[in-house]
């Protein structure tokens, strides 16, 4: 780092207790096992720090649109492109699976190239994937491009999911609460934007390809904004150090991970399938997108308040059980409940799912005694949680294809919600990994 590239604050200026405190909900530092310790982003003045904050928030604002935008126009894509049933199942499953597959690769790449440059590369891949996704190959149709583009997006998002929290924690030690709240809210907002605006863009342009291409624009803008910051960094070679317990041998860790798996099954099924479920019930595309958006906004409210509530108690058995049953019940009622109360059912689902996701991630902090163990547990939860959790979207697709409706999926999520309540109760006991 040159003298002209000094960070806004140095290690001397930074209170150690502030650097070590966890970000709200999900910000476990993926770089905590590096030696030497990862340095703050090289910036020139406080304006550059604000610029970095804006870039990180905008990256978060692009991390869920790929999931919710596809579901918003899935009937139109299936009809116009003549998608076979298997491809619909794969398109809704692959990106979630890749979140788990590529999560362990993120710290490895960060040690070699630096977190900022890996984030830049991930945004480049995400933009390319969003551009490829609606394409059409002569003689092959839309299926190959949809599959390749969606897979690229899933891999890119996996890297961002793991590295962004650590960068936020590293560069904003005195503003962890503010930045953590803005960052996590941006991720939830991205899902709401994808659900709410995709169908209106389809209506305005008359084609689903334009509706999907639209989401490459904000990703490209963020890529260009972040480019000067990332290329200015001079990465230092790091090596992994050992620390913390072996989480793979811990019963508590497996209970927390099972809780994460079950919440992931429901969470990503909401993004992929809630809009098609509503449209299958006779709701028009624009209204279905609005309902999903409002449900996701309520997720944001749940995610804001649930962690603070959970950490007030000696253990989290009660809140884990309640929010799991709310989510499974809300999902089932969205399928089986009276149609005139659909806003109520999806609202219950939104509050439950946002709270469930937040408390599942909060388990990382409350079930571990040190930051190294928390980082290892976070890696285990993301790898297994997203990888196995993708079976939720897979099962919904398979059940829909086999039965021609979503009734079987409603029964599925009653079972999943009940299992999440069971493992949430077990994970919520006042024990440590």
């Amino acid at each position: 780092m040159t003298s002209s590239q000094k960070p806004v604050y140095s290690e001397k200026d930074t209170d150690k207790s502030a650097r070590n405190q966890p970000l709200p909900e999900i910000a476990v530092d993926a770089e905590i096992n590096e030696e030497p310790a990862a340095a703050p982003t090289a910036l020139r003045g406080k304006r550059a720090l604000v610029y970095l904050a804006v870039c990180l928030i905008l990256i978060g604002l692009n991390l869920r649109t790929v999931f919710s935008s596809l579901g918003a126009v899935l009937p139109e894509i299936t009809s116009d492109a003549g998608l076979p049933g298997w491809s619909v199942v794969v398109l809704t499953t692959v990106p979630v699976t890749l979140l788990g597959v590529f999560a362990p690769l993120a710290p490895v790449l960060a040690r070699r190239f630096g977190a900022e440059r890996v984030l830049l590369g991930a945004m480049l891949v995400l933009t390319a994937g969003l551009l490829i996704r609606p394409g059409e190959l002569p003689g092959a149709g839309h299926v190959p491009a949809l599959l390749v583009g969606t897979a690229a997006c899933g891999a890119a998002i996996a890297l961002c999911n793991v590295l962004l929290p650590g960068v936020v924690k590293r560069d904003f030690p005195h503003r962890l609460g503010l930045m953590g709240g803005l960052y996590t809210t941006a991720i939830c907002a991205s899902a709401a934007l994808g659900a709410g605006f995709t169908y209106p863009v389809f209506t305005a342009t008359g084609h689903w390809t334009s509706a999907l291409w639209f989401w490459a624009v904000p990703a490209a803008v963020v890529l260009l904004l972040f480019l000067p910051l990332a290329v200015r960094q001079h990465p230092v070679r790091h090596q992994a150090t050992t620390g913390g317990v072996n989480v793979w041998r811990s019963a508590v860790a497996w209970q927390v991970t099972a809780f994460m798996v079950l919440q992931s099954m429901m969470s990503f099924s909401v993004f992929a399938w809630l809009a098609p479920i509503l449209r299958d019930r006779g709701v028009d595309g624009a209204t279905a997108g609005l309902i999903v958006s409002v449900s996701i906004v309520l997720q944001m409210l749940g995610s804001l308040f649930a962690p603070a509530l959970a950490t007030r108690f000696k253990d989290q058995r009660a809140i884990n059980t309640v929010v799991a049953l709310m989510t499974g019940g809300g999902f089932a009622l969205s399928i089986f409940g009276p149609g005139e109360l659909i806003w109520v059912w999806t609202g219950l689902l939104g509050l439950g799912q946002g709270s469930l996701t937040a408390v599942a991630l909060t388990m990382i902090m409350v079930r571990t005694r040190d930051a190294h163990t928390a980082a290892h547990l976070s890696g285990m939860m993301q790898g297994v949680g997203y990888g196995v959790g993708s079976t939720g979207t897979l099962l919904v697709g398979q059940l829909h294809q086999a039965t021609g409706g979503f009734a079987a999926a409603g029964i599925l999520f009653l079972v999943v919600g009940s299992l999440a309540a069971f493992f949430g109760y077990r994970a919520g006991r006042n024990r440590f990994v």
Side-chain angles (χ1 to χ4, degrees), residues 138-310:
H142 288 280
V143 173
L146 279 167
L147 292 173
V148 172
T150 301
C153 291
I157 292 168
L159 300 179
C160 293
N161 277 349
V162 176
L163 294 180
L164 261 180
V167 175
V168 170
K169 184 177 180 180
R170 185 189 69 197
D171 289 327
F172 299 91
H174 298 301
R175 294 290 184 270
L176 290 183
L178 174 63
M179 279 299 297
L182 291 173
Y183 159 68
T184 54
T185 299
I187 292 179
C188 289
S190 69
L193 291 172
F197 283 94
T198 303
Y199 194 85
V201 174
F202 163 73
T203 302
T205 60
H207 209 282
W208 62 267
T209 55
S210 301
L212 293 188
W213 265 317
F214 173 81
W215 297 107
V217 176
V221 169
V222 177
L223 173 66
L224 294 175
L225 288 174
F226 194 57
L227 178 64
L229 277 177
V231 298
R232 194 183 303 149
Q233 307 310 310
H234 298 283
V236 176
R237 282 293 190 109
H238 299 272
Q239 62 183 15
T241 61
T242 58
V245 302
N246 186 345
V247 295
W248 297 92
R249 295 182 178 180
S250 167
V252 175
W254 279 109
Q255 289 160 7
V256 171
T257 300
F259 188 40
M260 180 69 172
V261 166
L262 294 160
Q263 82 80 21
S264 294
M265 289 179 70
M266 292 188 281
S267 178
F268 287 98
S269 294
V270 170
F271 298 149
W273 290 106
L274 184 56
I277 286 170
L278 296 175
R279 297 186 66 178
D280 187 67
R281 298 201 64 180
V283 180
D284 66 88
T287 304
L290 179 61
I291 292 173
V292 176
S293 294
V294 171
S295 181
I296 294 172
V297 169
L298 290 174
Q299 284 190 29
M300 294 161 64
L301 291 177
S303 67
L304 285 174
F305 293 107
L309 182 63

Side-chain angles (χ1 to χ4, degrees), residues 25 111 129 132 319 368 405:
E25 300 180 31
R111 284 194 290 270
I132 292 169
I319 189 170
T368 56

